[in-house]
Amino acid sequence: MHRFLKTVSSSEMRKTFLKSFLLFSVLILSQISFGKEKEDKHGEEGHGKDLKTEIKEYIHHHLQDSHDFSLFSYTKENGEHKYVGFPLPVILWDDGLKVFSSSKFHHGETLAEVDGNHYKLYHSKIYRTDANGTIDYDESHHPTNIKPLDFSITKNVVMIIVTGLLMLWLFSSLARSYTKNNGIPTGAGRFFEPIVLYIRDDIARPNIGEKRYKKYMPFLLTIFFFIWFLNMFGMTPLGINVTGNIAITTALAILTFLITNFTGTKDYWMHQFNPLGDSLPWYGKIPLYIILVPIELLGLIIKPFSLLIRLYANMQAGHIVIGSLIGLMFIFKSWLGSPLSFGLAFAIMLIEVLVALLQAYIFTMLSALYFGFASEEHEHDHGHEAEVAH
Amino acid sequence: MEKLLEEFSLGLFFWQTLLFLLLLWLLWKFAWKPILNAVNDREEGIKNALQAAEDAKKEMQNVTADSENLLQEARAEREKMLKEAREIKEKMIADAKEQAQVEGDKMLKQAQAAIESEKKAAVADIKEQVATLSVDIAEKVIKGELSDKKKQLKVVEDMLGDVKLN
């Protein structure tokens, strides 16, 4: 007992020490950075701002999809930017199909000339320009050049393919291991089988119901592992941000939306257009339904919309935070600030690993919930009994 | 919102939808279906095995109970048989005794009757013989007596004296 108390008090002490240390370092840090800023202003003008802008652009660039797969880049002594990576095919629909390698853009430094048309890569988007590569802007500084339909195999598309192949390999080998090993998984399957079972027993079954959950299982499993794996790829230093891309999350949410409404039962649609059921006479329902029915119908759209925004915002925010914290290391350039932002970045990274799993879980969970709403069949008799009781 | 729309890339959306549907279909066919079926089969197997074990346990209990019952029954049967045998024995003894008694009595009676009849026959025979003898003797005596006239008259006188005319 005595010993126990002792350990408790020592851990308590350690905590308070840690707290005061953190507080102290934050104070020192603010002093240092403040001082540094002043120094920057006094000394070489704009250098600090340059670094900050560079970091900001770097983060922004990292969040964007890109037409080539660059692993890293560095600046040579003569000021030349060197990229290490590989180019990806660009596929444009601009009065006919145009396919060429993204190496023609030289990372946006040069124009690509295909079939007499000139294309320029500007902020990760391809515009058709004249031979000089001039970009015209409107008042709010948006380019007014023609944007051809871009079906390029971008970095994100490559990552989708990689993830898809990984999933195919993982899960088909898991499926094969059942037949080979008499119903018991081997290798990585031992890790993934409980997750598959978790999705079945704790997401699909309780939310959709014992009778109908089976037909939704493939979608739920695919979407869970797809989001989770891509989220985890986003944690690697390769600069991949697939699930933090609005087009990706939109595509996923639209699938959930379509499945929800195409598998919707009569009861589900009745609920949309007649939410109050028989609890009111028809003349009583009219004023309420003027408000209720539009809300219900809006809810159809809002549900998947919240899905797509939630996943997009979470992943995007995580990447921004980590990028900023890593950027802070270079801004501080001090013996205290840099390790601290490193520690902070590390801690956020751990949280992000959790968030990667959590967001996949939430997306799957909510999809299952919506499917459950749509495929629900009410027992009408119960409702009538309740009314009689009233 | 405007920024979001600007960020939205139709090409990426197209590829994502296409590739995801392809992935969904392939995984459905080659992974999820066999995995879920295998897991289902395994669970069914486990459930069945447990059920079978439970059944076997019940069966075992039944068998034990049955054998116990059988033993009990056999014991009761033996008891009953022993009792019956004892009863039969006793009855047989009693019957035999009774029969013997009756038979004995009957024989005794028959013997007695035979003795009686024999005795009667003997007595009758003796009587007859005695009568015959007496007659013979009387004949001889009378023959001797009546050989002269005086004697014949004396007899008649004696006889007449005996009669006394009542």
Side-chain angles (χ1 to χ4, degrees):
Chain A
M1 193 64 194
H2 182 68
R3 222 163 131 193
F4 174 69
L5 278 174
K6 216 170 161 185
T7 49
V8 165
S9 64
S10 75
S11 76
E12 203 74 13
M13 240 167 69
R14 216 172 296 145
K15 257 185 211 161
T16 44
F17 170 73
L18 204 68
K19 245 185 232 168
S20 52
F21 173 75
L22 274 174
L23 200 69
F24 172 75
S25 37
V26 166
L27 281 174
I28 294 258
L29 207 72
S30 57
Q31 286 295 315
I32 288 170
S33 60
F34 184 61
K36 200 169 171 59
E37 218 162 293
K38 256 201 287 190
E39 219 173 80
D40 280 342
K41 267 183 193 154
H42 283 289
E44 33 184 339
E45 195 90 306
H47 175 76
K49 200 184 159 203
D50 260 351
L51 186 65
K52 278 178 191 169
T53 326
E54 202 185 325
I55 287 168
K56 205 174 152 193
E57 271 170 8
Y58 196 86
I59 292 170
H60 182 72
H61 178 76
H62 164 86
L63 293 175
Q64 295 269 308
D65 197 4
S66 80
H67 284 84
D68 57 87
F69 207 121
S70 53
L71 299 169
F72 58 91
S73 65
Y74 58 94
T75 314
K76 272 188 175 174
E77 299 226 335
N78 57 11
E80 193 196 343
H81 244 23
K82 198 90 175 122
Y83 293 90
V84 179
F86 46 91
L88 296 168
V90 177
I91 303 165
L92 296 179
W93 185 264
D94 186 22
D95 297 331
L97 201 63
K98 304 214 162 36
V99 183
F100 55 95
S101 165
S102 73
S103 59
K104 279 195 177 183
F105 287 123
H106 295 97
H107 303 277
E109 283 156 17
T110 61
L111 294 178
E113 193 196 332
V114 186
D115 303 334
N117 288 333
H118 294 270
Y119 298 104
K120 186 175 169 64
L121 194 62
Y122 178 73
H123 285 301
S124 306
K125 291 231 154 41
I126 295 172
Y127 296 92
R128 190 159 78 187
T129 61
D130 55 14
N132 297 323
T134 41
I135 298 246
D136 304 316
Y137 300 101
D138 60 10
E139 295 99 35
S140 51
H141 204 71
H142 288 306
T144 53
N145 290 48
I146 294 166
K147 253 167 69 179
L149 278 178
D150 185 359
F151 291 107
S152 305
I153 305 296
T154 57
K155 192 173 174 178
N156 284 353
V157 178
V158 169
M159 279 326 293
I160 290 166
I161 293 168
V162 168
T163 310
L165 290 176
L166 178 71
M167 281 170 74
L168 269 178
W169 173 69
L170 263 180
F171 293 112
S172 61
S173 69
L174 171 60
R176 270 199 307 278
S177 78
Y178 281 115
T179 47
K180 259 191 271 170
N181 202 22
N182 211 3
I184 297 156
T186 48
R190 288 200 184 159
F191 175 70
F192 288 109
E193 197 209 70
I195 302 172
V196 172
L197 290 182
Y198 179 80
I199 291 169
R200 191 190 64 172
D201 295 338
D202 289 270
I203 294 179
R205 272 182 170 158
N207 286 316
I208 303 171
E210 199 62 41
K211 277 187 220 155
R212 288 168 294 271
Y213 81 94
K214 269 186 185 151
K215 64 177 168 184
Y216 298 108
M217 276 310 289
F219 178 74
L220 292 176
L221 285 167
T222 312
I223 207 154
F224 176 81
F225 286 109
F226 185 77
I227 295 174
W228 186 30
F229 285 177
L230 279 173
N231 284 350
M232 287 311 284
F233 272 125
M235 298 293 108
T236 59
L238 293 171
I240 298 150
N241 182 31
V242 185
T243 41
N245 190 299
I246 195 81
I248 304 287
T249 58
T250 307
L252 291 174
I254 282 177
L255 280 177
T256 297
F257 173 77
L258 290 177
I259 292 171
T260 308
N261 290 304
F262 276 116
T263 60
T265 56
K266 203 180 133 207
D267 283 328
Y268 169 72
W269 288 108
M270 277 296 281
H271 180 76
Q272 300 302 328
F273 293 107
N274 188 10
L276 292 176
D278 302 328
S279 57
L280 271 182
W282 64 270
Y283 47 86
K285 282 196 268 187
I286 288 173
L288 285 173
Y289 276 16
I290 291 172
I291 307 167
L292 267 183
V293 171
I295 288 176
E296 288 284 344
L297 290 180
L298 211 60
L300 288 185
I301 314 287
I302 289 172
K303 279 176 198 163
F305 189 72
S306 73
L307 274 184
L308 83 89
I309 290 295
R310 184 181 302 110
L311 181 59
Y312 162 77
N314 269 290
M315 296 329 290
Q316 186 88 312
H319 282 248
I320 291 172
V321 168
I322 288 177
S324 311
L325 285 172
I326 291 170
L328 270 181
M329 281 185 239
F330 298 94
I331 290 174
F332 282 142
K333 271 189 186 160
S334 71
W335 61 271
L336 191 57
S338 296
L340 199 69
S341 33
F342 174 80
L344 219 55
F346 182 68
I348 296 291
M349 200 71 169
L350 289 180
I351 292 171
E352 277 302 306
V353 170
L354 186 71
V355 168
L357 180 61
L358 200 68
Q359 286 308 317
Y361 168 74
I362 290 172
F363 200 106
T364 316
M365 179 80 184
L366 288 175
S367 294
L369 201 66
Y370 299 155
F371 298 159
F373 285 149
S375 64
E376 202 171 25
E377 271 161 27
H378 297 288
E379 287 168 38
H380 290 287
D381 296 334
H382 283 289
H384 288 299
E385 271 165 33
E387 273 166 45
V388 170
H390 279 295
Chain B
M1 196 67 205
E2 198 193 341
K3 195 171 166 279
L4 276 185
L5 283 178
E6 202 184 314
E7 239 180 73
F8 187 89
S9 154
L10 192 67
L12 189 57
F13 177 79
F14 165 77
W15 284 117
Q16 158 67 18
T17 310
L18 188 77
L19 290 170
F20 188 83
L21 288 177
L22 184 71
L23 180 67
L24 179 63
W25 181 71
L26 285 174
L27 281 174
W28 193 322
K29 207 163 171 217
F30 295 110
W32 305 134
K33 216 169 162 185
I35 287 174
L36 290 172
N37 282 344
V39 169
N40 239 22
D41 287 351
R42 198 178 60 195
E43 278 166 1
E44 284 292 306
I46 290 169
K47 212 193 268 175
N48 288 345
L50 281 176
Q51 191 59 45
E54 191 66 25
D55 287 352
K57 206 172 134 196
K58 267 188 195 152
E59 194 73 15
M60 195 69 195
Q61 275 171 350
N62 282 348
V63 166
T64 320
D66 278 0
S67 65
E68 194 71 23
N69 278 351
L70 254 140
L71 213 68
Q72 204 76 27
E73 264 170 38
R75 214 171 281 146
E77 195 76 12
R78 193 191 63 182
E79 210 66 24
K80 206 172 126 198
M81 274 164 81
L82 277 175
K83 207 173 148 200
E84 268 176 17
R86 213 174 289 133
E87 271 169 12
I88 287 169
K89 183 192 81 181
E90 271 160 18
K91 200 172 164 240
M92 267 170 82
I93 290 170
D95 281 2
K97 261 186 188 167
E98 204 177 324
Q99 215 170 342
Q101 191 82 36
V102 169
E103 204 72 16
D105 281 358
K106 208 171 138 194
M107 274 165 78
L108 218 63
K109 265 182 195 157
Q110 269 177 359
Q112 272 172 350
I115 291 168
E116 196 68 30
S117 65
E118 285 297 307
K119 203 173 93 184
K120 273 181 187 162
V123 169
D125 201 26
I126 290 168
K127 272 183 184 166
E128 215 179 76
Q129 280 187 22
V130 169
T132 318
L133 271 175
S134 322
V135 168
D136 282 353
I137 293 164
E139 207 182 79
K140 273 169 190 165
V141 169
I142 289 169
K143 264 178 189 170
E145 288 280 323
L146 292 178
S147 44
D148 66 75
K149 213 81 168 193
K150 277 182 213 157
K151 274 184 185 176
Q152 280 177 356
L153 282 167
K154 198 181 179 276
V155 167
V156 172
E157 270 179 23
D158 282 353
M159 292 255 283
L160 284 170
D162 281 346
V163 172
K164 285 180 183 173
L165 287 173
N166 47 358

